[in-house]
Amino acid sequence: MDHARALRLLELEDAGEEEVIRKQFRRLALRMHPDRHALDDRAEKAARTAAFVELQSALEVALACVLCTKSDVEVQGIVDDEVEEVLRAYPPTFVAQFRHLLGEMSKGGKAQPLSEVLDKHFFGTQFRSDEVDFRIFQPAPTAERRDMQLVYRCKECPDPASSVCARLSKPTKNKCVCGHNAAAHAPGGKKCSKCACTCFAYHIQQQAWEARCGCKHKHTDHHVTGARKCRKDIPGKRGTPCPCNGYMPSWVCHCGHPASSHETVVCYIDLKERSIDRALLGREWVAGGLRVETVALAEDSREKMAQYAVRAVAVNHGDLGRAQTSIAAHAQRRGASYVAQAKMYEAAAAAAKPAQEQVSSGPGARAPRGVRAAPGGRVSQRQQ
């Protein structure tokens, strides 16, 4: 739907202000909403529903144009020439949604693609994770110190200095496999004061959920000393001891490694030396928010969407405007994230660039569909 048709449906002569558009939509919605009409005819009801849906689409188009105009005014002086060149790969309505992030694109001395800025904004900068490595691990010295902290770390992560998966900073909440919390153990996770447990071993739990051993028995069904063998019988076979030789949950961490690859140890971090606020290390789970295989699936899905964007450019004969319209519709159908949608626009712009260069290479070059020749042999993109 183009802007002119959207204004006709909204019964407006010009775009005006955002509040004017919304007020007019509310007035028309009160009159056109299907629920305000008692209709027995299915065909008439379907027609009124379709008309109301079209009115909603008109509102989105009209508001997008207003926001885009505001964006062009607001970002003046913030966006340099290099960033402006990068932004040409995206529709103005898409850029308008993130005008508050455009200043981030020029950080680092080089213009970054909008997909990287969005990826960092939505997934990479929570709790200053782009500035602080929350998984940092530094073995504690032999002497006891006040700034020591119990951590649950992975022994198979590639970087031993960044291998912490959980920080056990809440002594009354974090529990040991013996069933008692960290406050019941001596400093450094040593002997428990309530049972014969000699060393704190983190019990994995989240609110009401808790991990169980591979033998299906609870952590409290195992001995608290030695290898923590199971004390229960095999379910359904009374008198037959469970063959479990030690408590080990059948659970996989966000880092991609099983519980058998983890250990509970003491970590020491010099907060003053690293200029880190102690509150920032109060988070419990600090391993990656997504499993490794989940990230791989997401990357594969984004790659397939980028391939669709390239095909959209080919189907539209190099017309980037039409390809972007097709990409927006496809992203809406798939429920794609803003990052994936930005990557699709970037792939489409890269695919359309050779065709545009070929058009501008000479006056005799044939213009692809969607591109018309201007007087004097120059070529200009047809306005959508």
Side-chain angles (χ1 to χ4, degrees):
M1 181 184 298
D2 58 12
H3 188 216
R5 177 170 173 75
L7 292 179
R8 285 197 301 271
L9 290 174
L10 290 170
E11 299 179 5
L12 292 172
E13 295 183 359
D14 52 30
E17 297 293 331
E18 179 180 357
E19 184 59 31
V20 174
I21 296 175
R22 292 188 181 277
K23 185 177 181 179
Q24 178 68 2
F25 170 78
R26 288 193 292 267
R27 187 182 68 82
L28 294 175
L30 288 174
R31 186 180 70 194
M32 298 177 59
H33 200 285
D35 293 344
R36 296 186 64 85
H37 303 273
L39 301 173
D40 296 329
D41 188 3
R42 290 186 177 181
E44 187 177 356
K45 188 174 182 179
R48 286 189 176 275
T49 302
F52 185 74
V53 170
E54 193 173 22
L55 181 67
Q56 291 177 312
S57 301
L59 173 67
E60 294 177 0
V61 172
L63 289 179
C65 292
V66 171
L67 292 176
C68 181
T69 304
K70 286 184 178 180
S71 174
D72 293 339
V73 175
E74 290 176 3
V75 301
Q76 286 182 0
I78 300 177
V79 177
D80 55 22
D81 294 340
E82 191 175 356
V83 172
E84 187 176 355
E85 180 68 25
V86 174
L87 289 177
R88 292 179 182 176
Y90 316 96
T93 52
F94 184 77
V95 175
Q97 301 177 71
F98 310 105
R99 55 184 182 273
H100 59 290
L101 297 176
L102 298 183
E104 301 289 329
M105 294 181 65
S106 58
K107 286 188 176 180
K110 184 179 180 181
Q112 305 177 47
L114 186 56
S115 62
E116 293 185 10
V117 175
L118 294 176
D119 200 353
K120 204 172 184 181
H121 175 72
F122 289 115
F123 307 112
T125 58
Q126 292 93 333
F127 305 102
R128 287 178 55 198
S129 59
D130 60 332
E131 304 173 18
V132 179
D133 182 11
F134 291 99
R135 299 195 66 194
I136 186 173
F137 175 72
Q138 183 176 347
T142 54
E144 293 185 1
R145 302 180 59 126
R146 294 180 60 186
D147 46 5
M148 290 193 306
Q149 184 184 56
L150 280 173
V151 297
Y152 187 65
R153 70 174 292 265
C154 180
K155 297 180 288 185
E156 290 189 18
C157 279
D159 185 4
S162 179
S163 57
V164 173
C165 295
R167 296 194 174 277
L168 314 181
S169 57
K170 300 178 180 178
T172 58
K173 173 188 174 183
N174 304 127
K175 288 188 176 181
C176 174
V177 174
C178 71
H180 301 116
N181 56 28
H185 289 70
K190 297 179 181 179
K191 183 175 174 58
C192 181
S193 60
K194 296 184 178 181
C195 66
C197 176
T198 58
C199 182
F200 183 89
Y202 180 51
H203 172 53
I204 304 155
Q205 60 179 13
Q206 284 289 319
Q207 298 180 353
W209 175 88
E210 60 181 9
R212 288 200 176 197
C213 180
C215 69
K216 306 302 181 185
H217 292 122
K218 295 181 179 181
H219 62 290
T220 51
D221 295 332
H222 293 69
H223 288 284
V224 297
T225 57
R228 303 184 189 271
K229 294 183 178 181
C230 187
R231 300 178 296 183
K232 288 285 188 176
D233 295 337
I234 296 178
K237 296 182 179 180
R238 180 176 293 183
T240 305
C242 180
C244 175
N245 292 320
Y247 176 79
M248 186 55 61
S250 53
W251 169 86
V252 178
C253 180
H254 285 314
C255 70
H257 300 120
S260 57
S261 301
H262 291 71
E263 62 179 353
T264 306
V265 292
V266 177
C267 177
Y268 159 72
I269 296 180
D270 192 339
L271 299 177
K272 293 183 179 179
E273 178 185 350
R274 298 181 180 272
S275 301
I276 299 176
D277 185 1
R278 181 178 292 275
L280 292 175
L281 297 180
R283 297 173 60 201
E284 185 174 4
W285 288 100
V286 292
L290 295 173
R291 292 263 296 274
V292 176
E293 55 268 32
T294 305
V295 174
L297 286 173
E299 292 294 338
D300 182 61
S301 178
R302 289 179 181 179
E303 180 62 28
K304 290 180 180 178
M305 290 184 180
Q307 293 173 3
Y308 173 87
V310 174
R311 292 196 299 270
V313 172
V315 168
N316 289 281
H317 305 280
D319 188 339
L320 184 59
R322 291 185 177 180
Q324 289 176 344
T325 303
S326 176
I327 289 170
H330 182 72
Q332 186 175 6
R333 289 194 302 269
R334 292 288 303 273
S337 66
Y338 288 130
V339 179
Q341 194 171 350
K343 284 185 175 292
M344 292 173 72
Y345 288 135
E346 291 162 10
K353 189 174 181 180
Q356 294 173 350
E357 291 177 350
Q358 182 179 1
V359 168
S360 60
S361 60
R366 182 181 178 182
R369 182 182 298 180
V371 178
R372 60 180 176 81
R378 292 176 291 111
V379 177
S380 60
Q381 189 75 17
R382 185 173 60 189
Q383 299 297 325
Q384 300 300 315

